[in-house]
Amino acid sequence: MKTTYYLIFLSLLLGSQQLYAQVKVLTITGTVKESANKTSIPYATVMLRDKADDQMIDGTTTDDDGYFELHSDHRDFYIELSFMGYLSKKITDFEEDGAVLNLGDIFIEEDSQTLDEVVIQGERSRTEFQLDKRVFNLGQDISSTGASALDILNNIPSVSVNIEGQISLRGSQGVRILINGKPSVLASEQGNMMGTITADMIERIEVITNPSAKYEAEGTSGIINIILKKEGEKNLNGSITLNTGIPNNHSLGLSLNKRTDKLNLFAQLGVGYRTFPHHNKTRSKDIANNSELHTLSDRDFNEEFYNLILGTDYRINKSTVISLSGQFAYEKETTDSNNDYTLKNLEGSVTDVWSRNEDSYADNPKWQGEFQVKKDFDESGDHSLLASATGAFFRKDQVSDFQNITQIGNRPDALQKLNTDYKEGIYTFKLDYTRPFSSYYEWETGTQYVINGVSNDFAVLDQHEDEWIPDPNFTNVFVFDQNVLGLYSTLSREKDKWGAKLGLRFEYTALDTRLEETQESNRQRYGDFFPTVHTSYKFSDKYSLQAGYSARIFRPGLWELNPFFALQDNFNIYTGNPNLVPEYTDSYEVTSIYHLDKVSFNIGVYQRITTNVIEEVLTVEDNISIRKPDNVGRSRTTGLEFNSKYTPWDWATIDIDLNYNAFSRKGTYNQETFGFSGDRWTSRAMGKVKLPANFDFEAAWTYESAYETLQLDILDNYFLDLGLRKKLLKGKAVANLSVRDVFATRRFRAVSSREDFEFNRLGMAGRFITLGISYGIGKGDAMEFSGQKRF
């Protein structure tokens, strides 16, 4: 029987070969290119159609070099080529040459109308929901163009940034900032991330309010992961950008990307100069000493910066890619500030008037290097192994000169000098393994080790008889060493309507701080387990529900632990506390997501329970206000969040974000009970309108309600941002004008009133105006740093 089957199969095979040999098959080849710059177009659609009934005979898409190949035994056909943003082309006249029809180079032209429509569709930023995070895909929104990463974060639902650059998520600070899923010196307080990472470099931002065990447990409010652009075009691409603004915001950026089948080379160069003004008014009343101090402060922080990024990705084979990149940045900072003081008695009589002027400068070199290997075990890349090592170093060498001048009173004129030699190194080693067991189940596991070392050599010197004498109360070397080892594993199931993800992470922390001169030290060793649970259910294409729980930790960093004083204004001082212990938070949330025809919105409820709460404590003595962080107890925050996007017409979009939370705090400080409760809410409305002649306009209004902290009442805050953009040269060039805080109303106002003292502070930065223009090189897009693109 088997022999019979073999004979039948052999007969069919020979018969088919003979039949095929009797029919002459024609091979059609060609290369599709742009008519403007003669570059190849990959992934263009090529079809053979029957001339009689237009039915498709064969079809394909061009490869990375624009080349295609088709086969047909039919002769009465025509060829049709199409690609998004280009005019379709038909070829009906051609001559056969034997069994091959070589069409050579075929040029197609851009469709300016269609191209504009495509660009407009791609401009809108949008939010999508995944199992354990919210993903904000960055479009070319007006406020995004030429803006800093801080500006972008301030436009994301649930995220807010105050005028001092502090980031909050749902009204709470302690957010963990990652770059491409890894900690970075650019994301640290000392790294000035918001200056070196601009909106043009960002592809998307992931807001993870309840992180899974895959991520570090650091951050009580959650994690914000900034993902830089990864897609690339072949050949040489890039962009050049030029910005200017008031106050000083002048910069020039050049990005280039050269990509082949196996190699991707990218480079980025940026230079610039900018000024950050800040104005403060402070009034402190010391009732016991019958005095009231008024302080008026004007401070200009000026920065000259240079930034160079070089890197390469090399594809060893279809499954393995090696990435190597490095960044060097150099900043020169100068600060000019003037503080005017007026001291009165409580009857209103002036007793003293003096001023304190600051002139400081600093050199800040920093570098970062990364080596990464990714191995894919299947074509989709879902089964993969990723190993990476990142090293970053930052240094600040600063000298500040202070001069005290007395106009009224008996205070002696004085000269003071502050020297700072700050060094920080961060090294991160990660190994992540992802393995799908089927189309529904996925397992993730991995480990991470982070080494963070800081040395801060801080000296305050007073001039006595033309000699600089160190002040022993303010001169020391603070050393901070923290190592964290993490291990994690997660298991997820996602099928049809329902998905769930379970995870467990263990982290062991070794922290040592010490003051070299006084031999004071603090040693902490602790290990913690952090479980996570996430689930989602899709009721329909228009409605789904998410829920999650995670355990979090907030480890005090250098800013909170460093005991040195900031002496720009020696009557309004901040100092750290090396005895702080970590905060621990249990975070719960449920979010419902709706998608209708012209509107989408989500409503969520959440609760956070935090122990060892870290909060600033204010003390006033002899009119000197000192703010210092301390562990003050336990808090419970329950909130409601609403985000919506409404598109009534194709040319208009309205975004509304509301967040309300009620909180209660129980704690003690210096044997005094600090229990209180309150609420807080924030709202933002943003409108975007497309105008004739390729103009776009945007307006964003933000309101933040008053709220209460341990000792302070923070007053409400509101501000308006405007933007106008014009596309030029079919979108290859973009001109942008933005005005932030149009009416200069964005202010920080804090008030404290107790039996023995009163405190009032007002801070503001003022209005910022920026004008920018960008031009795309090759296939690079305007306002896009394509040098950050990867495989």
Side-chain angles (χ1 to χ4, degrees):
M1 182 65 68
K2 288 184 179 181
T3 304
T4 304
Y5 287 149
Y6 289 151
L7 292 174
I8 295 174
F9 175 76
L10 183 59
S11 300
L12 291 173
L13 180 61
L14 293 174
S16 63
Q17 289 179 337
Q18 292 172 359
L19 179 63
Y20 182 80
Q22 294 174 2
V23 179
K24 183 179 179 182
V25 176
L26 180 66
T27 301
I28 305 101
T29 64
T31 302
V32 181
K33 294 185 176 181
E34 291 180 325
S35 61
N37 53 25
K38 307 300 186 291
T39 58
S40 300
I41 300 179
Y43 311 118
T45 301
V46 186
M47 290 185 292
L48 296 184
R49 292 188 181 275
D50 193 309
K51 285 185 177 180
D53 55 10
D54 294 326
Q55 293 295 314
M56 187 178 73
I57 301 171
D58 193 9
T60 187
T61 58
T62 58
D63 63 13
D64 290 340
D65 296 317
Y67 176 81
F68 69 88
E69 181 176 314
L70 294 170
H71 302 278
S72 175
D73 57 2
H74 190 75
R75 290 297 186 272
D76 194 18
F77 63 82
Y78 66 89
I79 303 169
E80 184 178 76
L81 301 98
S82 62
F83 187 66
M84 182 178 295
Y86 291 80
L87 295 172
S88 298
K89 187 171 186 175
K90 289 184 180 181
I91 301 176
T92 57
D93 296 325
F94 43 79
E95 294 182 2
E96 299 181 25
D97 184 13
V100 177
L101 172 59
N102 186 358
L103 300 175
D105 293 337
I106 307 169
F107 298 98
I108 59 176
E109 298 180 353
E110 289 182 346
D111 184 346
S112 58
Q113 180 178 358
T114 305
L115 184 62
D116 286 342
E117 292 174 356
V118 171
V119 172
I120 289 172
Q121 291 295 324
E123 285 172 356
R124 294 179 182 173
S125 297
R126 65 188 188 278
T127 301
E128 63 180 86
F129 293 83
Q130 298 181 6
L131 186 59
D132 58 346
K133 58 191 165 188
R134 236 181 299 176
V135 180
F136 185 79
N137 295 291
L138 197 66
Q140 295 179 4
D141 302 275
I142 302 170
S143 62
S144 303
T145 307
S148 71
L150 274 178
D151 297 320
I152 303 307
L153 290 174
N154 204 41
N155 279 314
I156 294 178
S158 309
V159 181
S160 62
V161 183
N162 67 15
I163 60 175
E164 296 178 341
Q166 295 175 317
I167 301 171
S168 299
L169 180 59
R170 291 174 172 171
S172 179
Q173 295 180 9
V175 185
R176 179 72 164 167
I177 307 295
L178 302 177
I179 306 296
N180 289 336
K182 298 180 288 296
S184 167
V185 69
L186 300 177
S188 68
E189 295 172 353
Q190 297 78 23
N192 192 21
M193 173 199 70
M194 306 313 170
T196 56
I197 294 183
T198 56
D200 359 47
M201 301 164 60
I202 300 173
E203 177 181 289
R204 68 182 188 275
I205 297 178
E206 299 175 347
V207 178
I208 309 168
T209 52
N210 256 340
S212 72
K214 179 178 181 177
Y215 298 94
E216 293 179 74
E218 181 76 29
T220 55
S221 301
I223 292 173
I224 295 177
N225 186 21
I226 299 176
I227 306 296
L228 303 182
K229 284 188 169 74
K230 295 181 179 179
E231 290 123 17
E233 298 280 1
K234 277 200 169 184
N235 302 316
L236 180 65
N237 309 290
S239 66
I240 183 169
T241 64
L242 178 66
N243 291 306
T244 186
I246 302 173
N248 296 319
N249 183 14
H250 316 300
S251 64
L252 175 66
L254 173 65
S255 297
L256 295 173
N257 175 239
K258 175 66 176 179
R259 187 181 182 194
T260 65
D261 289 332
K262 285 185 170 293
L263 188 65
N264 183 37
L265 299 172
F266 53 91
Q268 184 181 121
L269 176 66
V271 297
Y273 177 77
R274 52 197 170 196
T275 298
F276 301 95
H278 201 81
H279 313 283
N280 266 318
K281 287 183 178 180
T282 305
R283 178 177 62 85
S284 59
K285 181 184 292 187
D286 190 339
I287 298 174
N289 292 319
N290 188 33
S291 62
E292 184 175 301
L293 179 65
H294 293 252
T295 305
L296 179 62
S297 174
D298 288 296
R299 184 170 185 258
D300 282 341
F301 174 80
N302 306 291
E303 182 183 61
E304 179 182 335
F305 64 92
Y306 307 87
N307 187 36
L308 175 65
I309 296 176
L310 296 172
T312 182
D313 303 309
Y314 179 68
R315 187 180 297 276
I316 298 176
N317 50 49
K318 291 184 178 181
S319 62
T320 306
V321 176
I322 296 178
S323 300
L324 179 64
S325 63
Q327 176 184 15
F328 176 76
Y330 180 74
E331 300 162 356
K332 296 179 65 175
E333 299 174 354
T334 60
T335 303
D336 303 310
S337 71
N338 182 69
N339 300 301
D340 295 322
Y341 303 91
T342 301
L343 185 63
K344 305 177 180 179
N345 58 34
L346 297 185
E347 288 75 34
S349 300
V350 176
T351 60
D352 295 270
V353 176
W354 73 99
S355 62
R356 178 176 174 84
N357 301 320
E358 175 192 2
D359 183 13
S360 70
Y361 58 91
D363 293 324
N364 303 337
K366 54 189 174 186
W367 63 263
Q368 177 174 326
E370 178 180 1
F371 177 74
Q372 178 178 290
V373 179
K374 184 181 181 184
K375 170 70 174 179
D376 294 328
F377 299 100
D378 57 21
E379 293 184 359
S380 67
D382 293 334
H383 183 195
S384 64
L385 179 67
L386 177 66
S388 66
T390 303
F393 177 81
F394 174 77
R395 179 170 185 173
K396 178 184 283 290
D397 187 3
Q398 179 173 322
V399 176
S400 301
D401 294 312
F402 298 94
Q403 183 180 25
N404 293 345
I405 303 173
T406 300
Q407 288 85 37
I408 298 176
N410 298 320
R411 295 176 180 270
D413 294 346
L415 296 177
Q416 192 176 60
K417 186 184 292 289
L418 185 153
N419 294 335
T420 301
D421 185 6
Y422 175 91
K423 302 174 185 176
E424 179 177 16
I426 303 176
Y427 305 94
T428 304
F429 305 92
K430 290 189 67 177
L431 186 65
D432 297 292
Y433 177 71
T434 303
R435 170 66 187 271
F437 285 101
S438 67
S439 57
Y440 312 126
Y441 292 92
E442 185 176 83
W443 175 53
E444 296 175 305
T445 188
T447 182
Q448 174 177 287
Y449 188 56
V450 181
I451 303 171
N452 187 3
V454 178
S455 173
N456 188 23
D457 190 344
F458 187 90
V460 175
L461 304 94
D462 297 302
Q463 190 179 66
H464 296 284
E465 299 180 353
D466 296 329
E467 185 178 357
W468 290 103
I469 307 298
D471 186 337
N473 296 319
F474 301 109
T475 300
N476 218 318
V477 178
F478 181 69
V479 178
F480 170 94
D481 289 308
Q482 179 175 276
N483 299 333
V484 179
L485 173 65
L487 303 168
Y488 77 90
S489 184
T490 70
L491 180 64
S492 61
R493 175 207 184 268
E494 194 163 10
K495 179 183 178 182
D496 299 331
K497 296 184 175 183
W498 178 71
K501 189 172 189 176
L502 303 177
L504 183 64
R505 186 180 186 92
F506 173 77
E507 290 188 352
Y508 180 79
T509 305
L511 172 65
D512 292 286
T513 65
R514 63 184 180 276
L515 293 166
E516 298 274 351
E517 299 296 328
T518 55
Q519 295 299 307
E520 300 174 59
S521 62
N522 189 327
R523 176 185 171 93
Q524 298 184 33
R525 300 288 188 273
Y526 50 91
D528 301 289
F529 286 96
F530 301 95
T532 62
V533 180
H534 296 85
T535 185
S536 65
Y537 188 83
K538 185 178 180 180
F539 291 90
S540 67
D541 292 337
K542 297 182 178 181
Y543 173 59
S544 59
L545 194 68
Q546 293 177 328
Y549 161 79
S550 67
R552 311 295 302 154
I553 186 174
F554 173 69
R555 300 179 183 88
L558 180 73
W559 179 251
E560 291 86 11
L561 297 174
N562 193 339
F564 294 135
F565 293 85
L567 295 177
Q568 283 82 9
D569 177 0
N570 55 7
F571 279 79
N572 295 283
I573 295 172
Y574 175 88
T575 182
N577 179 1
N579 297 314
L580 290 176
V581 297
E583 287 184 350
Y584 291 93
T585 297
D586 290 309
S587 179
Y588 309 83
E589 68 175 41
V590 178
T591 303
S592 57
I593 306 152
Y594 301 83
H595 292 283
L596 304 178
D597 292 336
K598 293 187 176 183
V599 63
S600 63
F601 59 90
N602 68 280
I603 301 174
V605 293
Y606 59 90
Q607 184 174 81
R608 294 191 302 267
I609 301 173
T610 304
T611 57
N612 299 332
V613 174
I614 298 175
E615 193 162 309
E616 287 185 6
V617 176
L618 175 69
T619 59
V620 178
E621 185 176 347
D622 295 331
N623 291 303
I624 299 176
S625 304
I626 299 177
R627 294 175 292 125
K628 180 180 180 180
D630 215 315
N631 298 104
V632 296
R634 176 186 176 92
S635 71
R636 179 189 298 267
T637 302
T638 304
L640 175 67
E641 184 177 43
F642 173 82
N643 314 117
S644 71
K645 181 183 290 289
Y646 177 47
T647 308
W649 307 282
D650 292 339
W651 49 268
T653 303
I654 300 172
D655 295 85
I656 296 177
D657 302 313
L658 300 172
N659 189 300
Y660 171 82
N661 64 71
F663 56 85
S664 62
R665 189 73 56 86
K666 296 180 180 179
T668 60
Y669 182 74
N670 286 344
Q671 299 180 345
E672 183 177 355
T673 300
F674 285 96
F676 67 96
S677 60
D679 60 4
R680 179 182 184 183
W681 63 280
T682 60
S683 62
R684 179 170 55 215
M686 180 185 299
K688 303 173 186 177
V689 180
K690 300 185 183 301
L691 302 174
N694 283 329
F695 277 100
D696 293 335
F697 175 75
E698 177 184 285
W701 173 262
T702 302
Y703 177 81
E704 301 169 349
S705 75
Y707 64 96
E708 184 180 358
T709 66
L710 185 68
Q711 294 174 303
L712 297 175
D713 291 324
I714 310 300
L715 304 186
D716 60 348
N717 188 24
Y718 52 90
F719 52 93
L720 174 68
D721 297 333
L722 298 177
L724 183 68
R725 185 178 64 174
K726 166 70 173 176
K727 288 184 292 184
L728 307 167
L729 304 176
K730 297 181 179 180
K732 291 296 289 184
V734 174
N736 176 77
L737 174 67
S738 64
V739 184
R740 305 190 184 281
D741 194 7
V742 176
F743 302 109
T745 56
R746 191 176 188 185
R747 304 177 178 185
F748 174 82
R749 297 177 293 172
V751 176
S752 179
S753 180
R754 300 180 61 186
E755 294 182 359
D756 52 345
F757 71 88
E758 293 182 8
F759 177 81
N760 190 310
R761 181 189 173 202
L762 168 66
M764 60 180 297
R767 183 184 301 107
F768 289 80
I769 302 174
T770 303
L771 175 64
I773 188 167
S774 177
Y775 182 78
I777 301 171
K779 293 185 181 179
D781 295 329
M783 307 310 296
E784 177 180 305
F785 283 90
S786 60
Q788 282 295 324
K789 292 180 177 180
R790 305 289 188 90
F791 282 104

